[in-house]
Amino acid sequence: MADDGVFHRMMTRRRLLAAASAAAAGAALSRPAWAQSMIDLPLPDGPGARQITTSFPQKGPMILQRTRPPLLETPFEVFDKGVFTPNNQFYVRWHWALIPTDIDTDKFALTVRGHVNQTLSLSLNDILHGLPSVQLSAVNQCSGNSRGFFQPRVPGGEWANGAMGNALWTGVRLKDVLDKAGVKPGAVQVRFKGLEEPVVADAPHFVKSLDIDHARDGEVMIAFAMNGEQLPLLNGFPLRLIVPGWYATYWVKMLNDIEVLNQPDTNYWTKVAYTIPDTPYASIKPGEAGVKMIPINRMVPRSFVTNMASGSKVNAAAPLRGIAFGGDCGVAGVDYSIDRGQSWRQAQLGKDEGKYGFRQWQTQLALPAPGKYSLLIRCTNSNGVAQPDTPNWNPAGFMRNVVESIDIIAA
Amino acid sequence: MFLNLLPVLVVLCVASTPLAARAATTFELKSVKIDLPDSDRMFPEGPGSDAINNNCLACHSAGMVLNQPALSKQAWTAEVNKMINNYKAPVAPEDVGTIVDYLTALKGAK
């Protein structure tokens, strides 16, 4: 059972200094210009200290995982505010450092080419005003969200639980765009590329592919708006692929090139990177070799407490609430346990904003006696899949979805 | 009584339709020009710090590495080789061992 808290202890460097030495109290009063807010992510064996940065354009306070290329994590308390994650605190994840920072909407074009009847070059005007627009709320979650909680630890972006977000996406159906170009018989996959470029010339450009039937399912879309506004540049302005129910690696940012393929894609990012063991929960034993690997694909259910930090002192009758998502389908139920999983009770689900989005849940705790409790939270999705009670493990740190637990003390 | 439920059901069905097709939008996009912050953070000084500063910071800032957990020398070797073989990091062959030793000294598994 994982015992990571979903909340993280906030502290300021100023406060750290004050704790370290009495002399620092003077410095604290003068509020030095370099004082920065810090957070301590509860990653097993650390390091958990991260800066809270406000240096990134169009973004509010974010947990700095890496400056270049940017990896910015959503501070977890944001998820308590509602099911839609604000654009300015939506997490950010880029692979390559050469990211265009100047996008002229009059010059931008999306190319559709390959195994099609006619190659298209679509302007933003063609896309916004020439095709029916559709809306969908969906969770975008990094394959490696929560990687920092893997034990044994694995290399990669050492995220806590904030490499995810839910937004109301507005855009056009990918199917409509493909139909406009006319997919030829024999097409098997569709490959997507954005404007980011590797620093090293012969390094593999970031591209991802979907099977042709998936690409034409009418749900996969090209978004030009997120929560009713244009996307922040770091979240993929002006166009981003939306693949509901699938991990964010497929949600190509700054999408400007769509290539219909008549043979399976063998590029590095689909064939080698972002692969998982073809086992239940994508889980293997550390060191286990010779396992068949497949591209990561559908998401799995998760749920979190959002109104209490691990270690909190609470009233015996405190309200408890959080968010859940079903992964590749809706949420059927969220259950919680106050007795380490011996018995489970149902939480009440909030409004359904769409099966691929976050769903709020809430309940009223009734803790029988003062003392310590370990609360467990478990989502079961509408396909009947529940979160497992033991953590998965794989060398890339993908697809964590163990039942979450928080430790609280009843007054 | 059942008839009274009908409007509710209709509303529920509309609300749960994942995609609501509409006419083309009146939404407009505005051009964006931003500046991204850079990092001037270097690796802590020590044997091999020049090699890692010179070879690794072109593609990513140092914080990525400094946020990593303790890993075995074998794991650090695999990471450095992944950067060279998969991501084409132009690391001079004579620097590979130095970088692995630096990482293992800084963040080796205890």
Side-chain angles (χ1 to χ4, degrees):
Chain A
M1 191 66 57
D3 63 355
D4 47 88
V6 294
F7 263 74
H8 315 304
R9 202 154 38 91
M10 291 279 291
M11 56 187 169
T12 61
R13 184 167 286 174
R14 184 161 64 84
R15 206 182 301 159
L16 275 179
L17 280 175
S21 83
L29 286 174
S30 66
R31 276 191 167 275
W34 46 264
Q36 285 164 343
S37 182
M38 298 288 288
I39 193 169
D40 189 15
L41 304 176
L43 310 183
D45 302 320
R50 302 284 189 276
Q51 196 183 319
I52 299 288
T53 178
T54 51
S55 304
F56 287 81
Q58 304 177 305
K59 304 307 279 188
M62 299 294 288
I63 300 168
L64 182 64
Q65 292 282 5
R66 182 175 69 193
T67 305
R68 187 177 51 87
L71 296 186
L72 309 175
E73 177 167 347
T74 302
F76 207 82
E77 62 270 18
V78 170
F79 299 112
D80 192 47
K81 294 176 189 166
V83 294
F84 293 109
T85 314
N87 293 0
N88 73 344
Q89 289 192 290
F90 209 100
Y91 87 99
V92 168
R93 191 267 187 268
W94 289 85
H95 296 87
W96 293 119
L98 297 186
I99 302 164
T101 52
D102 186 358
I103 305 274
D104 183 336
T105 52
D106 291 332
K107 290 182 185 151
F108 182 91
L110 171 65
T111 303
V112 186
R113 63 191 174 94
H115 203 61
V116 292
N117 292 329
Q118 56 169 336
T119 296
L120 303 177
S121 177
L122 302 172
S123 68
L124 288 171
N125 195 50
D126 294 336
I127 291 164
L128 268 69
H129 305 303
L131 291 164
S133 104
V134 292
Q135 276 194 329
L136 174 88
S137 70
V139 173
N140 172 292
Q141 181 184 213
C142 180
S143 307
N145 188 23
S146 320
R147 178 184 288 117
F149 297 121
F150 270 58
Q151 287 184 283
R153 295 285 300 276
V154 294
E158 301 297 334
W159 306 104
N161 292 325
M164 62 176 186
N166 179 46
L168 179 64
W169 308 96
T170 308
V172 296
R173 291 187 192 92
L174 175 61
K175 179 181 190 300
D176 291 344
V177 171
L178 292 173
D179 285 353
K180 211 174 160 84
V183 173
K184 285 183 180 170
V188 293
Q189 287 194 319
V190 183
R191 182 157 64 193
F192 306 92
K193 183 169 162 288
L195 286 174
E196 69 176 309
E197 300 263 353
V199 175
V200 183
D202 59 342
H205 275 81
F206 183 72
V207 291
K208 293 297 289 187
S209 297
L210 295 174
D211 285 346
I212 185 73
D213 290 346
H214 187 186
R216 301 182 70 178
D217 72 357
E219 285 193 332
V220 177
M221 61 187 270
I222 299 168
F224 51 75
M226 171 178 180
N227 295 326
E229 294 175 354
Q230 63 184 42
L231 281 68
L233 185 136
L234 287 174
N235 292 106
F237 179 80
L239 299 177
R240 180 169 197 172
L241 192 71
I242 306 302
V243 190
W246 283 48
Y247 282 96
T249 181
Y250 294 96
W251 299 42
V252 173
K253 296 182 288 298
M254 286 188 186
L255 177 69
N256 76 325
D257 185 71
I258 297 176
E259 184 185 4
V260 178
L261 306 175
N262 61 1
Q263 49 195 332
D265 190 10
T266 55
N267 96 82
Y268 170 78
W269 293 101
T270 297
K271 194 85 181 167
V272 180
Y274 287 105
T275 56
I276 54 169
D278 188 14
T279 58
Y281 307 106
S283 193
I284 60 170
K285 290 191 179 71
E288 195 177 332
V291 184
K292 185 190 173 198
M293 302 295 281
I294 56 169
I296 195 167
N297 50 84
R298 295 165 178 273
M299 294 199 292
V300 286
R302 299 196 76 175
S303 56
F304 301 90
V305 172
T306 57
N307 73 326
M308 282 181 195
S310 205
S312 300
K313 286 181 183 157
V314 304
N315 287 330
L320 181 72
R321 69 171 174 266
I323 51 167
F325 58 102
D328 62 346
C329 61
V331 171
V334 173
D335 300 306
Y336 66 100
S337 173
I338 61 169
D339 57 10
R340 295 172 188 276
Q342 290 173 58
S343 64
W344 293 86
R345 298 164 208 214
Q346 237 177 11
Q348 290 137 28
L349 296 181
K351 189 184 171 196
D352 185 356
E353 300 277 6
K355 64 179 180 174
Y356 295 115
F358 284 154
R359 185 93 182 255
Q360 225 159 12
W361 59 267
Q362 62 168 351
T363 192
Q364 190 78 26
L365 284 176
L367 302 171
K372 288 183 180 175
Y373 291 86
S374 211
L375 291 183
L376 306 180
I377 319 298
R378 183 181 65 199
C379 173
T380 302
N381 72 18
S382 56
N383 287 337
V385 178
Q387 291 180 255
D389 59 11
T390 52
N392 71 333
W393 193 91
N394 54 61
F398 288 155
M399 289 182 74
R400 183 177 170 90
N401 82 320
V402 64
V403 167
E404 299 289 332
S405 105
I406 67 163
D407 297 322
I408 54 167
I409 301 147
Chain B
M1 184 183 170
F2 286 114
L3 280 177
N4 290 344
L5 283 174
L6 199 57
V8 178
L9 284 174
V10 170
V11 169
L12 282 176
C13 290
V14 170
S16 63
T17 304
L19 283 173
R22 302 167 162 202
T25 182
T26 52
F27 194 84
E28 295 292 346
L29 296 175
K30 291 196 182 98
S31 297
V32 172
K33 187 172 185 203
I34 60 165
D35 283 313
L36 288 176
D38 205 347
S39 169
D40 55 7
R41 195 172 176 188
M42 304 294 271
F43 285 94
E45 254 183 68
S49 55
D50 284 352
I52 194 165
N53 282 326
N54 292 338
N55 281 291
C56 303
L57 297 181
C59 287
H60 60 77
S61 48
M64 178 65 175
V65 180
L66 298 172
N67 284 342
Q68 295 301 303
L71 298 169
S72 66
K73 183 170 184 176
Q74 189 189 0
W76 280 124
T77 305
E79 276 306 293
V80 173
N81 284 333
K82 182 166 91 177
M83 296 303 145
I84 297 167
N85 298 328
N86 296 3
Y87 300 118
K88 311 300 174 193
V91 180
E94 63 271 22
D95 285 343
V96 173
T98 312
I99 292 169
V100 169
D101 286 346
Y102 176 87
L103 290 166
T104 309
L106 186 73
K107 287 187 166 285
K110 302 291 180 289

